[in-house]
Amino acid sequence: MVSKESRQKVRVKKHKRMRNHLSGTTQRPRLAVFRSNNHMYAQIIDDTVGNTLVAASTLEKEVKAELEKTNNVDAAAYLGTVIAKRAIEKGIHTVVFDRGGFIYQGKIAALADAAREAGLEF
């Protein structure tokens, strides 16, 4: 019988492998994305000092008020525009995209596309 690793373990393994190549600098911080079953979270992180510069999630009142559901593609796209607007207000225009080991499709792709349209470059 073939034993199969859980999706969570596979995702974490992919993310650790990706993080060996990705890191955010002061000039080009890292846009890290995480999605749970119910919510999505996005942070812009400067890895040289370990600070979160900008953060947004579907848990926030202002974001949640605009959404019908917090775990669909529309919510991800809205979160992408929110994080991009907050980043541009802080003077951040270019980032490195860290998809967190998730497959680049659906919600993750929607968030990335919306952030690009709102003005972030990656």
Side-chain angles (χ1 to χ4, degrees), residues 19-121:
R19 288 286 289 120
N20 287 329
H21 304 286
L22 290 177
S23 79
T25 62
T26 308
Q27 291 80 24
R28 192 168 172 165
R30 175 171 58 100
L31 171 59
V33 176
F34 177 76
R35 69 176 175 83
S36 68
N37 287 337
N38 297 322
H39 295 282
M40 287 199 71
Y41 309 86
Q43 310 180 58
I44 296 181
I45 304 164
D46 180 1
D47 287 319
T48 56
V49 290
N51 283 346
T52 299
L53 306 171
V54 181
S57 77
T58 55
L59 279 171
E60 297 172 7
K61 277 187 180 179
E62 314 88 59
V63 176
K64 205 174 195 177
E66 297 291 321
L67 303 172
E68 199 172 305
K69 289 180 74 178
T70 58
N71 63 347
N72 59 8
V73 175
D74 297 330
Y78 184 72
L79 188 65
T81 58
V82 168
I83 193 79
K85 286 177 185 175
R86 290 181 186 176
I88 290 170
E89 286 174 8
K90 286 255 184 155
I92 301 166
H93 298 286
T94 59
V95 294
V96 177
F97 188 67
D98 176 8
R99 60 187 171 88
F102 296 103
I103 298 169
Y104 188 84
Q105 69 179 31
K107 297 173 197 170
I108 302 296
L111 187 142
D113 293 339
R116 279 191 193 102
E117 286 176 19
L120 276 183
E121 294 177 26

